[in-house]
Amino acid sequence: MIGRLSGVLLDKTPPQVLVDCNGVGYEVDVPMSTFYNLPHSGEKVVLYTHLAVREDAHLLFGFGTVSERAVFRQLIKISGVGARTALSILSGMTVADLAQAVTLQEAGRLVKVPGIGKKTAERLLLELKGKLGADIGVAGGGPRDDTQTDILNALAALGYSDKEALAAVKNLPAGSSVSDGIKFALKALSKG
């Protein structure tokens, strides 16, 4: 299995890149989140990869971070979600956004991704529940999840965007109650 490529980026044509590794050029499909963070052609690049072997093709998928690759692998395990759909999901939202949508069970955020309908979004939320969390860089974990979710919902009700709310809750002191967490988050938002 090819798990990582390190070489020179030869060509960038969304969603595919060509990476030269010691004279061998690898065509790698990448999500747009990785594509936008790639260096210029001719510069060194490192991609974490997933090799999919099918009857009719060997496909190599590349990711800028290990967490993106881990989420991709979780997504393709779900019935009805292929590699192209998984790339589309990772192109349409960050790993943290996807994990937050799963934590809050928000199908509406997934439906915004091209190619994801309501039924697929609901199936994704069901299948990913409990599989995305602190291990892939999402704030929270364990007993704080319910408290953090309540705080995020309160901030959303007050009119803050998901991005603002997540940033405010990011440095929440451990063991905070919901009311203390809301106060802390509002202070953080007023400073920003």
Side-chain angles (χ1 to χ4, degrees):
M1 182 124 178
I2 301 170
R4 181 177 170 271
L5 289 178
S6 178
V8 177
L9 184 62
L10 294 180
D11 187 35
K12 298 182 344 183
T13 309
Q16 198 170 72
V17 298
L18 181 63
V19 180
D20 179 4
C21 299
N22 297 320
V24 178
Y26 291 92
E27 291 179 344
V28 185
D29 287 346
V30 297
M32 296 312 290
S33 54
T34 296
F35 190 86
Y36 293 135
N37 292 315
L38 289 172
H40 296 290
S41 294
E43 293 182 26
K44 287 200 65 77
V45 67
V46 175
L47 293 173
Y48 298 95
T49 60
H50 175 83
L51 177 64
V53 179
R54 295 191 331 216
E55 190 175 306
D56 60 339
H58 290 220
L59 303 170
L60 194 57
F61 301 95
F63 308 92
T65 65
V66 174
S67 61
E68 273 189 334
R69 181 177 66 180
V71 170
F72 175 82
R73 287 177 173 169
Q74 284 291 335
L75 288 169
I76 60 174
K77 288 179 185 175
I78 298 170
S79 175
V81 177
R84 297 287 171 216
T85 303
L87 280 183
S88 181
I89 292 167
L90 289 171
S91 292
M93 58 194 328
T94 67
V95 171
D97 288 341
L98 177 60
Q100 192 64 39
V102 170
T103 300
L104 300 175
Q105 291 293 292
E106 294 179 337
R109 289 169 74 175
L110 289 170
V111 173
K112 293 177 184 174
V113 175
I116 303 293
K118 187 175 183 199
K119 287 184 180 181
T120 303
E122 289 170 354
R123 187 170 64 246
L124 285 168
L125 292 176
L126 181 66
E127 296 269 349
L128 293 174
K129 190 171 187 174
K131 295 180 182 173
L132 298 184
D135 58 324
I136 56 167
V138 177
R144 279 182 59 203
D145 279 350
D146 289 343
T147 302
Q148 189 176 23
T149 301
D150 290 344
I151 295 166
L152 289 170
N153 287 336
L155 293 173
L158 291 171
Y160 291 100
S161 71
D162 292 339
K163 190 174 182 178
E164 291 171 321
L166 284 170
V169 177
K170 190 174 167 183
N171 297 318
L172 189 67
S176 297
S177 67
V178 174
S179 61
D180 289 342
I182 292 171
K183 290 175 191 171
F184 178 85
L186 289 172
K187 281 183 185 176
L189 287 165
S190 68
K191 290 177 185 174

